[in-house]
């Protein structure tokens, strides 16, 4: 088994590594189809960048970006597992009505309206840890106990989501690499995956193309951080991550398949 892959589809002009490439709905749908063909288990469609300092997008604009992509993709791929990457309950609600099956909230599903939207829409959730908001998150990255703080947050959110009615195996916990973290905090969070998994929920790691990967590998341009991102993906897989959120599905999947077979010495189904 290799981790499931959540392929990133950014319908934004300003995402940190691929802003502007898929703002057109047709381009975004084609990209999502490509990621599914390359082996993504689900695609994460987002209409608002979460990079540090990114401007907030209005609800109308976010829906205008995301909804046609979700609808268009489902027309072509009715079985596609689609997640919506949003912090707005109204957007989550509308996109779930349009056929998405997951909500990915970098705000950690702290808003009760977001929880209600997910429960009513029968959605699974990706619950991420972040200090503050994308606008403020890098202003304070000092923790007394990084892993303990992130772990306690995820445990509390998971318990509350299960109590609200989300099935436990559809509550996926994410320590939020790059969200209010110092560069070397990120590898520490990957190493801590076994601890986050102790709550009995799947764990997702999103390291793809992030600045800590660039810092370690010496690669400035985010879109060029593919090889370093694969290094992080292999480490996360080895630590037991159940899901990886990635931009480069084919490269990551091939690396994971070979890594798994070489690591265990036994065949691993590519399916
Ligand atoms: N990272 C980004 C966005 N959403 N969601 C989860 N659950 N985990 C992550 O690590 C995560 C996320 C940032 O990546 P990207 O979407 O490519 O950039 P941007 O937010 O600039 O669109």
């Amino acid at each position: 088994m290799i981790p499931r892959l959540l392929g990133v589809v950014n319908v934004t002009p300003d995402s940190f590594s691929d802003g502007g490439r898929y703002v057109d709905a047709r381009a975004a749908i084609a990209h999502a189809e490509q990621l599914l063909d390359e082996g993504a288990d689900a695609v994460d469609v987002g209409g608002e960048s979460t990079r540090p300092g990114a401007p907030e997008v209005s609800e109308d604009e976010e829906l205008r970006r995301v909804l046609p992509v979700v609808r268009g993709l489902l027309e072509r791929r009715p079985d596609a597992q689609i997640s919506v990457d949003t912090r707005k309950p109204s957007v989550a609600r509308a996109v779930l009505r349009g056929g998405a099956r997951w909500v990915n909230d970098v705000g950690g599903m702290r808003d009760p309206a977001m929880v209600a939207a997910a429960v009513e829409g029968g959605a699974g959730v990706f619950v991420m840890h972040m200090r503050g908001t994308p606008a403020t998150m890098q202003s304070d990255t000092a923790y007394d106990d990084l892993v303990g703080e992130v772990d306690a947050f995820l445990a509390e959110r998971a318990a509350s989501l299960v109590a609200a009615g989300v099935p436990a195996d559809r509550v996926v916990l994410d320590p939020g690499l790059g969200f209010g973290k110092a560069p070397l905090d990120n590898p520490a969070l990957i190493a801590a995956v076994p601890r986050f998994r102790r709550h009995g929920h799947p764990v997702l790691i999103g390291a793809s193309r992030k600045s800590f990967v660039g810092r370690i590998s010496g690669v400035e341009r985010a879109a060029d951080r593919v090889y370093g991102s694969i290094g992080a993906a292999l480490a996360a897989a080895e630590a037991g991550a159940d899901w990886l959120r990635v931009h480069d599905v084919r490269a990551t999947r091939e690396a994971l398949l070979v890594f798994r077979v070489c690591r265990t010495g036994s065949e691993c189904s590519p399916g």
Side-chain angles (χ1 to χ4, degrees):
M1 282 280 281
I2 62 171
R4 292 192 199 186
L5 298 181
L6 180 61
V8 180
V9 180
N10 285 322
V11 197
T12 56
D14 57 347
S15 285
F16 79 94
S17 80
D18 56 3
R21 287 196 64 188
Y22 312 111
V23 264
D24 171 61
R26 267 173 313 178
I29 293 165
H31 184 56
E33 287 196 273
Q34 183 188 335
L35 297 182
L36 291 168
D37 289 343
E38 289 177 357
D41 297 276
V43 287
D44 192 30
V45 181
E48 179 180 61
S49 172
T50 59
R51 75 185 155 73
E56 290 207 9
V57 172
S58 73
E59 177 188 320
D60 284 354
E61 175 61 14
E62 202 177 324
L63 273 176
R64 195 194 61 72
R65 292 179 185 175
V66 163
L67 207 45
V69 175
V70 171
R71 290 202 177 122
L73 180 58
L74 285 171
E75 267 169 33
R76 300 174 64 87
R77 306 287 178 105
D79 295 333
Q81 292 263 346
I82 302 177
S83 154
V84 56
D85 185 353
T86 187
R87 292 185 291 145
K88 297 186 185 71
S90 55
V91 172
R93 223 176 262 281
V95 178
L96 290 171
R97 254 188 247 122
R101 300 194 207 170
W102 295 86
V103 176
N104 174 22
D105 178 12
V106 300
M109 305 290 297
R110 281 176 285 192
D111 182 343
M114 195 57 134
V115 177
V119 172
E120 284 159 31
V125 293
F126 297 102
V127 190
M128 200 195 79
H129 173 273
M130 166 171 59
R131 249 197 195 167
T133 66
T136 63
M137 65 190 181
Q138 290 309 116
S139 58
D140 176 16
T141 58
Y143 295 80
D144 287 336
D145 172 12
L146 167 77
V147 170
E149 192 173 311
V150 171
D151 189 52
F153 172 83
L154 294 176
E156 186 279 324
R157 295 312 308 136
S160 142
L161 284 154
V162 170
V166 184
D169 62 344
R170 305 252 295 158
V171 175
V172 182
L173 306 181
D174 175 358
L177 274 58
F179 287 84
K181 314 291 181 334
L184 289 179
D185 287 348
N186 298 296
L189 291 169
I190 293 176
V193 165
R195 176 156 169 190
F196 304 138
R197 288 185 91 235
R198 283 205 306 237
H199 304 296
H201 299 278
V203 168
L204 176 141
I205 291 292
S208 185
R209 300 185 181 179
K210 285 193 175 158
S211 63
F212 81 94
V213 171
R215 174 121 165 205
I216 296 169
S217 59
V219 177
E220 184 64 35
R221 203 172 149 258
D224 292 337
R225 296 178 187 149
V226 182
Y227 307 126
S229 301
I230 288 171
L234 299 181
E238 182 74 344
D242 303 273
W243 285 86
L244 303 176
R245 183 180 183 278
V246 299
H247 300 82
D248 304 288
V249 169
R250 177 176 167 201
T252 310
R253 184 166 173 276
E254 290 181 5
L256 285 167
L257 287 168
V258 174
F259 176 74
R260 186 56 79 225
V261 174
C262 294
R263 190 73 183 75
T264 62
S266 59
E267 274 303 330
C268 165
S269 135

